Amino acid sequence: MKPLVAIVMGSDSDLPVMEEAAKTLDEFGVPYEMTISSAHRSPKRTSDFAKDVESRGLRVIIAGAGGAAHLAGVIASETTLPVIGVPIDASPLKGMDSLFSTVQMPPGVPVATVGINNARNAAILAVQILAVSNKELRDKLNAFKAKLEKSVEEKAKKLTKKIS
C-alpha cells in the first residue's frame, strides 16, 4: 500500500519521539514513510522532499525537529499539503524554542502544531485529516474516541472505590 503520510525529522536523535507517530499510524492502519532531512544542514534535500511529496501520493506530512525547528515551516513553504509540526525537546530550553519556531509561522504558511514531543497527537491529527474522505478511518477514530471515554470511566470508578 502506498504511503499516505510522511514522517520527517531533522535528525536521528529525534527518532525516539517520532516513532510514536509511526506506532500510532500503525494502530490505525495508515501507511507512511519515514526519513531524516534537516532544514539547515540539508536544505536542498528538504526542498526536494517537500516539492515531491504530493506527486508520490502522500496526503499529510508530520515534521519533527528540535532547537531552531524550522523543518515544518520550510516544508510548508514548498507544498500545499497539510503539515503538522512536532516541536522536540532537544535543547536547554526544554523544547520551548522548538515550540515557538514551529507555531509562529507567517500568514499564508500554516503549520498545525502539537505539543512538545507529542508525535502521537500529530499522527492522530493526520488520521483525522485523512478521515475527512475515508469512512473506514472515521469509523476507527470513533472507536478510538469511545475507547478513550471508556478508560476515563474505568479510572473514575477505581478512584471512587478507593475514596469510599
Side-chain angles (χ1 to χ4, degrees):
M1 195 173 206
K2 277 183 125 176
L4 296 175
V5 177
I7 301 170
V8 61
M9 63 205 84
S11 169
D12 61 347
S13 63
D14 301 330
L15 186 57
V17 170
M18 298 307 287
E19 280 178 324
E20 289 303 312
K23 288 177 191 174
T24 303
L25 293 172
D26 283 338
E27 288 174 28
F28 283 95
V30 173
Y32 60 89
E33 65 177 41
M34 187 180 278
T35 193
I36 296 169
S37 192
S38 171
H40 299 110
R41 293 182 302 265
S42 60
K44 182 174 180 345
R45 176 178 169 76
T46 302
S47 178
D48 291 346
F49 168 84
K51 289 176 182 175
D52 187 46
V53 288
E54 194 169 351
S55 69
R56 292 188 292 117
L58 291 154
R59 295 292 171 250
V60 182
I61 301 161
I62 299 172
H70 290 113
L71 183 61
V74 168
I75 292 171
S77 74
E78 303 249 23
T79 184
T80 58
L81 293 181
V83 177
I84 304 166
V86 180
I88 295 178
D89 176 1
S91 78
L93 297 175
K94 303 290 184 200
M96 293 302 292
D97 49 345
S98 305
L99 174 63
F100 291 141
S101 294
T102 305
V103 78
Q104 292 292 3
M105 293 300 299
V109 188
V111 172
T113 306
V114 296
I116 297 167
N117 288 349
N118 203 336
R120 180 163 174 79
N121 267 0
I124 293 167
L125 180 56
V127 173
Q128 289 177 322
I129 291 167
L130 295 169
V132 168
S133 60
N134 183 318
K135 183 177 180 338
E136 181 182 340
L137 284 179
R138 280 195 308 276
D139 291 344
K140 287 180 181 182
L141 281 165
N142 285 325
F144 171 76
K145 297 281 186 168
K147 187 177 173 183
L148 285 177
E149 184 176 5
K150 183 178 178 183
S151 75
V152 171
E153 293 298 326
E154 289 170 357
K155 290 174 184 179
K157 285 179 185 176
K158 272 187 184 177
L159 180 60
T160 303
K161 285 180 184 178
K162 285 183 180 181
I163 295 173
S164 303

